[in-house]
Amino acid sequence: MDVEVDEASNATTARERIEAARPDAIVLDVSMPGLDGAAFCAQLKASRATRDIPVVLLTGSDMADEATAAEVGAEAFMLKPFSPLELLAIVERVAAGLHATPFRASGKRQTDEQLLLYARDLRHLLEVERGQRRLLQDAYHATVTALASALESKDTGTGEHSQRVHRYAVVLAQEMAPELVEDESVEYGFMLHDFGKIGIPDYILQKPGPLTSTERRLMQTHTVLGEQLLRGVTFLQDRGLEIVRSHHERWDGRGYPDALAAGEIPLGARIICACDAFHAMTSDRPYRAAMPVVDAIAELRRHAGRQFDPAVVDALVDETMRDLARR
């Protein structure tokens, strides 16, 4: 049940809210400041404009509640303290017209019983929230995956490269620093590390030959542009954004955009840098054919300690060899 709630601190404010937007049901506390809930209920039921709106009275007393409810015209009353979920059920019932005479929504409970009831309700609400969060994360993951593949197609003509890079990066991160992948933004950073290329013209991305110095400088802006574009995304913060910004830094400090070196470069960025380069070498590109895996491995090792983190290269080569053995 989706519920929109409008609150009022007293009868005067409540009347203004009711006149502004007619509610499906009204919940009144008998102990309201100023005009009490029972008296206000009687006024509402005496008015032609509001008499058909069902009312639930909340009371902390065991006095003649049923008689009071009948006298003022309330459809139901509940004893405090009460279960929030039970109150929702009662509101839904009276709003649907499922009442003939005033009814007592619950009996007086002992403190321990009420605490158990609250605990049950809280557990249920947490389960619902977790389920909704899982659905949201699944939808978000599917959307990000599709977006990453679409961006990769813009660059290389296929989204398979992006998926392979992401898979290898996650595996390496789990091996080298398991706590890294506990941060959900890291995986999104791996998937969207090249997001800034959305702002790079196609004639540069798909150029079949070497880039000019001007074109190369423009291409290099994609790291900062990607970070700026993704900064407001809820699931991609901190480490995820570091990956987007720093995945073209070099181990020797000659990369961009910040000329970071060695351990200054976030580990996630070092991982995706090597994975991206390896799979770029082993994929067809507009300007060259795919390189054999053994040659790509040799190239990685040649640049370990210069462009790439040597430890990341070792882990990537080991994983590649295991992957080849599994095929």
Side-chain angles (χ1 to χ4, degrees):
M1 177 184 179
D2 294 326
V3 179
E4 292 185 12
V5 179
D6 196 357
E7 297 180 87
S9 59
N10 53 60
T12 301
T13 303
R15 190 181 300 280
E16 293 173 354
R17 301 286 175 80
I18 294 168
E19 291 175 354
R22 179 186 173 90
D24 295 317
I26 299 172
V27 178
L28 297 175
D29 193 324
V30 171
S31 300
M32 284 170 52
L35 186 66
D36 66 51
F40 184 42
C41 177
Q43 289 186 3
L44 292 173
K45 294 301 181 180
S47 170
R48 179 177 299 179
T50 56
R51 65 188 179 193
D52 294 330
I53 304 175
V55 175
V56 179
L57 285 179
L58 306 179
T59 176
S61 171
D62 264 330
M63 58 184 181
D65 300 293
E66 189 168 353
T68 300
E71 181 181 346
V72 299
E75 280 69 23
F77 66 95
M78 295 187 69
L79 293 175
K80 297 185 293 185
F82 55 85
S83 159
L85 292 183
E86 187 176 11
L87 175 58
L88 285 175
I90 296 305
V91 169
E92 184 178 26
R93 177 178 173 180
V94 298
L98 301 178
H99 56 86
T101 58
F103 64 92
R104 184 179 186 135
S106 62
K108 195 70 173 179
R109 298 185 177 90
Q110 298 298 319
T111 301
D112 290 347
E113 183 184 358
Q114 190 64 43
L115 289 175
L116 289 174
L117 185 60
Y118 280 138
R120 184 201 68 188
D121 287 352
L122 180 58
R123 183 171 61 251
H124 174 72
L125 291 173
L126 288 175
E127 290 172 353
V128 170
E129 182 180 357
R130 290 192 190 104
Q132 291 175 336
R133 182 172 177 79
R134 280 194 297 271
L135 289 174
L136 179 60
Q137 287 178 321
D138 290 346
Y140 192 85
H141 189 278
T143 300
V144 169
T145 301
L147 178 58
S149 296
L151 288 171
E152 189 63 38
S153 296
K154 171 182 169 70
D155 188 4
T156 66
T158 175
E160 295 177 1
H161 170 74
S162 176
Q163 295 170 19
R164 287 195 299 157
V165 169
H166 166 255
R167 179 171 62 84
Y168 264 62
V170 169
V171 170
L172 293 194
Q174 289 172 335
E175 291 182 0
M176 300 186 70
E179 73 281 359
L180 189 64
V181 290
E182 292 177 3
D183 183 345
E184 63 184 7
S185 72
V186 168
E187 185 173 357
Y188 292 122
F190 287 155
M191 283 192 282
L192 294 176
H193 65 279
D194 271 339
F195 186 76
K197 286 184 178 179
I198 195 173
I200 305 300
D202 287 349
Y203 78 87
I204 294 179
L205 290 176
Q206 300 171 6
K207 187 175 180 179
L211 301 179
T212 66
S213 58
T214 300
E215 291 169 342
R216 188 175 300 107
R217 284 194 297 271
L218 182 57
M219 175 69 86
Q220 290 177 353
T221 64
H222 82 274
T223 56
V224 176
L225 178 59
E227 181 199 28
Q228 292 173 343
L229 291 173
L230 295 170
R231 189 171 291 156
V233 176
T234 302
F235 287 118
L236 211 161
Q237 297 296 320
D238 301 326
R239 287 175 173 173
L241 289 178
E242 290 176 350
I243 291 170
V244 174
R245 181 181 181 90
S246 302
H247 70 279
H248 277 290
E249 299 289 357
R250 291 172 51 108
W251 186 255
D252 59 12
R254 298 173 61 188
Y256 62 88
D258 302 308
L260 302 178
E264 296 176 335
I265 308 169
L267 177 58
R270 282 180 265 153
I271 289 173
I272 199 67
C273 175
C275 291
D276 192 31
F278 175 71
H279 286 293
M281 287 187 285
T282 55
S283 303
D284 290 327
R285 290 299 171 100
Y287 46 87
R288 59 155 176 77
M291 183 183 295
V293 171
V294 291
D295 293 344
I297 289 175
E299 191 71 10
L300 280 179
R301 293 200 180 282
R302 186 159 40 248
H303 289 278
R306 289 186 291 172
Q307 182 175 354
F308 308 117
D309 178 346
V312 172
V313 169
D314 288 342
L316 177 55
V317 171
D318 289 345
E319 177 58 29
T320 300
M321 299 308 295
R322 286 195 293 269
D323 191 37
L324 289 174
R326 288 192 292 264
R327 295 179 184 178

